[in-house]
Each structure stands twice: as structure tokens, then as C-alpha cells.
Amino acid sequence: MRKKREILVTSALPYANGSLHLGHMVEHVQSDIWVRFQRLLGNTCYFVCGEDAHGTTMMLAAEKQGIAPEALAKHYQAEHSQDLQAFNINYDNFYTTHSPENEALATEIYQRLLRRGDIVTKTIEQAYDPVRNIFLPDRYVVGNCPKCDAAKQYGDSCEVCGAHYSPTELKNPVSVISGATPITKASEHYFFCLEKYKQVLETWLSQKHMQPEIANKLQEWFTAGLQQWDISRDAPYFGFKIPGTADKYFYVWLDAPIGYMASFKNLCNTIGQEQFDRFWAADATTELYHFIGKDIVYFHTLFWPAILTGANFRKPTQVCVHGFLTVNGEKMSKSRGTFITARQYLQCLQPEYFRYYFAAKFGDGVDDLDLNLTDFVQRVNADLVGKFVNIASRCAGFIHKNFSDKLSANCYDTDLYVHFISKRSVLEQMFNARQYSKAVREIMALADEANRFIDGHKPWLLIKDPSQQQLAHEVCSLGINLFRVLMVYLQSILPTTAVAVAEFLNVADLADAGLGWDAITQPLLGHKINEFKPLLRRIEYNEVQKMLDLAAPETELKSGAEVETGTKIGVETGTKIETETGTKIGVETGMEPIAATISFDDFAKIDLRVAKIVNAESVPEANKLIKLTVDIGLETRQVFAGIKSAYEPEDLIGKLTVVVANLEPRKMRFGVSAGMVLASGPGGADLWILEPNVQTKPGMRVK
Ligand code: 2FM
Ligand code: ZN
């Protein structure tokens, strides 16, 4: 028997001033899969989150909308909660930092620190907006960099030369709020003496409570020296007043992680208040896991454990850090139309796809995670529909039509079944260690084996031969049983599918023996199942395109006559070419008479491939030619293109384009050209290479 664990899991509390986007969902999905897996193993696992409601940004955002910050926080608590539920993120409580529990806990923690002598006050000078009468956080002052003079730089660092400085050093500073020139004003601030916890933190650091790369980063911070941490902000501020002061508030980052405790405390109204100490007392034997992004490591691995220690609470068991989400290899960006909200996704696509795609990518490291939209469609369709669901759909029909929905009474190939269930322990290790991508690879390899087993026995032929009916029954029944094992393995990733499969397999619910981690050691024999209904359908490219259209910036949508969703067309007659991903690109045909027709077969011989220009050099001896090195997925080639009049070679590097990949190589004066780049236009500067949508990737066939 496995020892039962008791674990409290949290995800970072989203700010209550904006909608959740796919970057948030990556984290919630990662933690949700882990939690569901723990529950599947029979462990007790509580899962809490909530709104991060306080701070200057919150206050100003509310003001801009003409509502109270409390109302803004409530609005987003409701919206976020709905979105998370829609993605099947199974929080036991989604609470808020603006709650009585959080105020009581923050106050208590502060007083305990104060009693230990861990709080000191200092007078500091800060930028102040004399029009709005408010101290300005670093990001609310812009001006010229004191080092390199670059304009429009924030008050903390320069994006051009990388210099770090204080807002008072900026040249020509302006308040982002009012446009006024900030003045410098002194006020008293409260500081937490982090440096007193150096020893505690160093010991904690050595105990592997985080990934090694994060521990290394922490080591650097230790070496640089721990600084006292400013935990107060002056009024006006949206937050909790510091006890014993008239106009000082806790800095949002002080009470934010305390929000984890508050959310759990609130949950204890349901699960019993005695649970609070079991999970938070200094000597708690339960486990505490925080899932966070790499940008907030500092808060969770230095301040947070130090404060917990000072206030006599337990420290985290594990801080699980993940990287950022990129879309098609780049940072999500509003102007590029890749800043996709959870709602925009939900309007177009099922959450199961997203959950699977990222499960197939998640490792235990902190590398960024890319949502490559072409890969997304292909991967989900190939794995989930083509491999996994396919096993059930190709067996279920026979069981229904020929065997009254009843599985055979014996297992046709026990070795194969045992081989499938023997993977439980390795998968358990992988899921526990958050190596979901490894787990998914194992599971998909098994799906391949199941499909090969079915292919090898060809039940569709057996069924036609009366003497082989029994064999057909056993083969299909084993197929269904293998599918059941795979569903259990994928259950924490695909919870909605698991519910539908429980119905199909006629097993009462997920908690019952039918789809349990240990229950699968026994196949379902002589068991009546229900009629199979399609579980997951293929993603169409136009659904992804629809999502991108929703995410596209307003202005682009308005002027976006060339961007049309929906249809998947090869080459339209007239003036437009559409790539497989649905982006129309205008092609001026010019006024020359149309050439003699070619047959469709001739046209179909043209192999058009998306290509990435990895290098471009002008050919000095030629008037028109640029020498391109293009990556077409399987190989890299040299192609000469007559586009010098319209492009600077360096502007081409990194662009995606389309090449005729099966054009006979031609020896030119300057070298061999192996392909042709598609471009059009009247000529001169008005010449454009075909640039497919960024969601394509090198090597993709353009039809
Ligand atoms: O970075 C953020 O989005 C913060 N709102 C995360 C807070 S996590 C916790 F400490 F509350
Ligand atoms: Zn600079």
C-alpha cells in the first residue's frame, strides 16, 4: 500500500484587474493536472487560489473605470472563477486577498514579526505626483535613461541599455498618471529584516525545495547580499492598513502570498477549522506546494519562507517554477494578435486540447513553453483523435452491433494487458515529478501498441467470417480494455473526456473502481458497456484562425479586409492565394494575358513549402538577386531570388515565406538555386514575397 499523502497546492493568485490569458492558463493547467493526479492516487489534496486584489495598479484601474477597487476585484473574481471552471481547473476554493481572513492573517503575521524585532522603519525619498497627490511606483514614472539618454524609459530600468536606477535619477521624468513632473518627497516606510533569515534560507535552499536552476539563482542573490524589504506603502493605497499607523498600508506583495493561507482558512469553514493548523503550523507534517512562474521566484523563495519562519508557520515543501508562455515562438503580444485571453480560446476551442498540448510539453524545468499553433492542431489531432480515441472508436462498433455491447468474458492477451498496466509505477513517478511530457510520450507509445494490436488482428475482416466471431469479440474487447487503461493514465489531463469515457464504459463515476489507478489491474470482463459516442473531434485550422481573429487588435480587424476566417482554399481564381492556415494574401496578377491552361494534375505536382529565411545576402554582381538560405523543415537550401529591388537582405532574415520545393535545381552564374521563392507585384520596390501566417512552420506543405 502506498502511504497516503496530505498536500495543499496553490497556483499564483492572478491580479484582479484584467482577464486571464493563456499564459495564466498554462500554470493553472499544470497545477490542476498535478492535483488531479494526486487525487487519483487516493491522496488528500486541497487546491486553492484566488484574486490578488490590492495595490496601486488595482486602485488606478478601478478609478479609471469609475468604480471602487472592491467592485473591480469582485468582478474579476467572478470572471476568473468562471474561466477556470471552464478550463476544468478544480479549485476547492477560489478566494481573494481582499478578505477578512487575509486581513486577520496579515495583521497577525506582521505583529509576530514586530514582536521579534524584525520590522524597522526608515525615511525614504520617492517620486511623488504633485497633481494627484500620490507616491509613484517605479513603473509610473517615465523619462530619459540617466545612462544612455533613451527616451520613454521606466523609473526602475532602461530597456535600451539595461541600466538599473531609481526613478529620481531619470532625466525629464513624467508621471504616467497625470503627466506632471514628479517631485521627490520623503516618507517613513516599514521594512522587514530579511537579512536576519540568511541562515534559515540557506539551510532551506540546500534541502531541494525547488528546481536546481532556481536554487542556483537564489545562491546568486545570497552572494549579492540580502536587503531589507520595504513592506509599506503610503495612502492612498488599496490594501490593509498597517496596525498602529494612520496612513500606511501593507505592500501588495506582503499580503498576496498570505492570500494562500487566507483562501485555505476560508476553505476550512467547510473542511473543518482544525485543518488550518494541520497545514500551516510550524511543525506540520503535511505538504505545501506552490506553483508559480519564474518572474515571481524572489517573492516565493526568499521573502515568503523568511516571513513564514518569523511568524512561526511552516515553510513550503516545494516551489514549482515554470517558464513563460510564448505563442509561435514569440512573447505574447497584443499588437501581433497573439495575446489570447482564456475566453477567446474558449469561444473557439475545447479546453481538453489545450490541457493535452501543454501536458505533452511540460517538463520539470523552467524553460519557456511555446504554443505553436500549427503544431498544436497537428499534435492534438494526431495523438488524441488519431491514436487515443481511435482505439475505442474502431472497437466499439463491433461490440455494439455484434455482441450486444458486452465485452468478452476472458482477456485475449494477458501479457499485453499486463505490459500496459506495468507502466503504472513509472508513470506515477513522472506525474509526481511534473514530467508530464515524458508521461505523455509513454502513454502515446502504448496507444501506438494498442493500434498495432488491432491492425494486426483486423477485426473488420474477422467479423465477416462466422468461425472467427469469437476472436473478433476478444480482440475488440481487449482493445476497449487497453483504451480504459490509457484513459486512466490520461485522466488528470483530460477530465471531461474521462467523464464521457466513464459513461461509455458504464462505470458509475471516476472515483469508483471503474477508472481508478489501482482498479485497472483487473480488466473489465463480461462487462456491459454503453454505446460509443464520439469523444473528441479533430481541430480544424479555421477554429484556430477564428481565435486569432478574436485576439487581433481592433484596428487590424477593422481594416482587415484580407484577413478572413473560415474557408480552407488552395489557390483561388483571380487575385488571392490562401494558405492552409487561412490567411489571405493579395496577389496582383498584372495585366499580361493569361497563359495557356495547365491541367490540375500538373498543378498538383508543385510542392509548395513554408520556408524560413535563415540567411540573406546580396549578390553584388547581380542587379536583382539576393542569395537566400532557406529552412524548409527537412533541409536547408540555397535559393536565388530576384527581389533585390524591394528588400534589404537583412530585413528578410527570420521571415517565413513559401518556396516551390520540387523545382529542378538550376545552375546559375553565382551558384545553384534549389527552388523558387513565391513573390509578386508590378516590380521595383513594389514586390512582395509571400509571407504566410506566423502559425505555419518551415516544411509545412502549402495546399
Ligand atoms: O505576479 C502575479 O501575477 C501576482 N499576482 C502573483 C501573486 S502570487 C501570490 F503570492 F499571491
Ligand atoms: Zn539606458
Side-chain angles (χ1 to χ4, degrees), residues 10-16 24 27 49-54 97 252-260 290-293 295-296 299-300 304:
T10 71
S11 309
L13 312 183
Y15 286 121
H24 289 111
E27 175 175 298
C49 193
E51 293 297 308
D52 191 351
H54 293 149
T97 57
V252 54
W253 266 108
L254 179 85
D255 72 62
I258 300 174
Y260 298 141
H290 296 306
F291 284 76
I292 60 162
D295 53 332
I296 55 177
F299 296 102
H300 285 81
W304 182 228

Side-chain angles (χ1 to χ4, degrees), residues 145-150 153 158-163 165:
C145 167
K147 302 266 158 26
C148 77
D149 204 36
Q153 297 305 312
C158 172
E159 282 179 346
V160 177
C161 74
Y165 41 76

Side-chain angles (χ1 to χ4, degrees), residues 33-93:
I33 291 174
W34 200 80
V35 167
R36 285 177 185 271
F37 189 76
Q38 297 309 323
R39 291 176 180 166
L40 182 62
L41 292 180
N43 293 325
T44 299
C45 196
Y46 295 114
F47 189 24
V48 300
C49 193
E51 293 297 308
D52 191 351
H54 293 149
T56 308
T57 310
M58 251 324 265
M59 182 176 75
L60 295 174
E63 204 175 285
K64 208 165 167 186
Q65 296 181 33
I67 55 172
E70 289 85 350
L72 187 64
K74 275 223 151 50
H75 166 84
Y76 278 110
Q77 189 182 3
E79 183 187 305
H80 293 173
S81 220
Q82 265 178 21
D83 292 357
L84 291 163
Q85 274 169 31
F87 269 84
N88 254 310
I89 314 294
N90 210 1
Y91 286 115
D92 292 306
N93 197 20

Side-chain angles (χ1 to χ4, degrees), residues 512-533:
D512 102 335
L515 279 179
W517 193 251
D518 293 325
I520 46 170
T521 49
Q522 295 304 318
L524 298 172
L525 300 176
H527 175 86
K528 191 146 180 350
I529 59 172
N530 288 318
E531 199 178 340
F532 178 79
K533 299 196 188 92

